[in-house]
Amino acid sequence: MSVGMNGPRKPLVVERIESVRQQVTQARRAGQTIGFVPTMGALHAGHAALIRAARQECGYVVVSIFVNPTQFGPHEDYARYPRTLEADQQLCGEEGTDLIFAPSVEEMYPPPYRTYVEVTELDQVLCGASRPSHFRGVCTVVLKLFQIVQPDVAYFGEKDYQQARIIRQMIHDLNLPVQLRTLPTVREPDGLAYSSRNRYLTAAQRQVAPRIYQALLELRARVQQGEREAARLESDLHQALSAIPEARVDYAKIVDADSLQPLEQIDRPALAAVAVFLGTTRLIDNIRLN
């Protein structure tokens, strides 16, 4: 355990793949199960909840901190994505992390790098439609991290619902010996989903950002009251999001919660998923409708 009578212990931080494997091998020899939380850093309360769950359920907890270049498009925010390793180490220590893996790009993608992983169909909708190579990058780095850490259980948040669904499919299709645990979205008191990108918001944008979740809650209430026509609900959701000051709607969709395909009628488990730009900051959120 990393949390004892004297408070949090400083996690071991390593940059090399071989170092991770040595530490995990020792933990496994000691009979410990390996819990893994893959992150891009800039950690917040959502990540803390994942680490806490791993700490409660596993004997040895690994957190990776790696801003993965292959999941960013050419005009996205890779260069300015927040990198806060010192603060991240503090949070990891407070939540009982044993090992932080913080590799360089060269360590993860030694040249010449030529191998990528794709989960078809699920990656063509929602975020995949507007970020065409995003999930190829996500699947590639997650599979590499699974191969490096060899976790028993991996922890993902439901805010990134499509990502978790795609990773679950990859685990199934490639027979990976990893159990996937997804945890509910963690929100600020006013309802805004925690995101590393929230720090990009201006004060005015941050004030109106909770209206994204409010629009999703209102949509779910209508479904619970008996509304079933997806097109009408989508249209109204898009309108509500567009009314937020400075907002530009990337997508506002109602989809099958498993296949992520569009629905005409809400007659099965359904998800409302949205991506909204507030200024230049892209925020995503979702809610189960039934």
Side-chain angles (χ1 to χ4, degrees):
M1 289 286 287
S2 292
V3 181
M5 296 296 290
N6 298 319
R9 191 188 74 196
K10 197 171 183 180
L12 179 64
V13 182
V14 302
E15 300 176 359
R16 303 304 298 267
I17 290 168
E18 191 54 42
S19 300
V20 178
R21 288 180 167 155
Q22 289 171 357
Q23 295 298 323
V24 169
T25 297
Q26 289 177 16
R28 204 177 288 286
R29 282 178 182 156
Q32 295 175 316
T33 56
I34 311 302
F36 178 45
V37 182
T39 83
M40 291 208 302
L43 303 184
H44 51 64
H47 298 110
L50 299 176
I51 299 169
R52 204 173 304 129
R55 178 76 277 161
Q56 291 169 353
E57 298 171 7
C58 302
Y60 193 81
V61 177
V62 181
V63 174
S64 64
I65 296 175
F66 178 62
V67 184
N68 175 39
T70 66
Q71 69 190 68
F72 288 82
H75 304 295
E76 294 183 340
D77 58 348
Y78 173 71
R80 73 180 185 118
Y81 194 86
R83 291 160 171 85
T84 59
L85 185 58
E86 193 172 326
D88 294 345
Q89 290 175 1
Q90 175 80 18
L91 183 146
C92 285
E94 290 169 357
E95 297 300 341
T97 303
D98 294 290
L99 180 70
I100 296 173
F101 178 41
S104 65
V105 173
E106 293 73 26
E107 182 75 0
M108 290 299 288
Y109 296 104
Y113 192 85
R114 300 190 178 102
T115 305
Y116 294 89
V117 182
E118 292 187 7
V119 174
T120 58
E121 294 185 23
L122 294 173
D123 68 346
Q124 298 298 306
V125 296
L126 303 178
C127 285
S130 51
R131 306 181 70 189
S133 63
H134 173 66
F135 288 113
R136 184 180 85 150
V138 169
C139 289
T140 300
V141 79
V142 170
L143 181 58
K144 285 174 68 68
L145 290 167
F146 283 174
Q147 294 289 77
I148 293 163
V149 177
Q150 298 281 302
D152 297 293
V153 191
Y155 296 80
F156 287 78
E158 284 203 342
K159 181 178 77 74
D160 298 288
Y161 185 97
Q162 183 178 16
Q163 171 179 274
R165 176 66 187 88
I166 286 172
I167 297 302
R168 187 178 299 281
Q169 191 70 40
M170 181 179 76
I171 289 171
H172 173 271
D173 292 352
L174 298 183
N175 308 107
L176 302 178
V178 182
Q179 179 188 346
L180 185 71
R181 286 266 283 115
T182 57
L183 271 66
T185 301
V186 179
R187 299 183 181 278
E188 301 258 17
D190 59 10
L192 177 64
Y194 274 102
S195 169
S196 301
R197 290 184 168 95
N198 288 352
R199 68 187 67 201
Y200 296 159
L201 298 171
T202 67
Q205 291 164 353
R206 177 61 187 82
Q207 191 170 5
V208 299
R211 289 171 58 178
I212 297 172
Y213 185 50
Q214 291 167 12
L216 289 169
L217 288 173
E218 290 166 7
L219 191 81
R220 183 167 67 185
R222 288 178 57 190
V223 172
Q224 291 171 342
Q225 291 162 11
E227 177 66 76
R228 291 290 177 268
E229 188 179 328
R232 181 184 299 133
L233 289 165
E234 272 187 7
S235 175
D236 292 348
L237 177 60
H238 196 288
Q239 190 172 348
L241 295 172
S242 298
I244 300 171
E246 294 191 61
R248 176 170 63 84
V249 180
D250 184 358
Y251 65 77
K253 299 290 185 183
I254 295 173
V255 297
D256 182 294
D258 181 60
S259 71
L260 306 183
Q261 295 305 305
L263 291 176
E264 291 185 3
Q265 294 288 320
I266 300 179
D267 54 5
R268 68 198 78 170
L271 182 84
V274 302
V276 179
F277 284 93
L278 286 181
T280 59
T281 303
R282 186 177 184 272
L283 302 177
I284 63 171
D285 206 345
N286 65 77
I287 197 169
R288 292 177 181 268
L289 295 179
N290 48 11

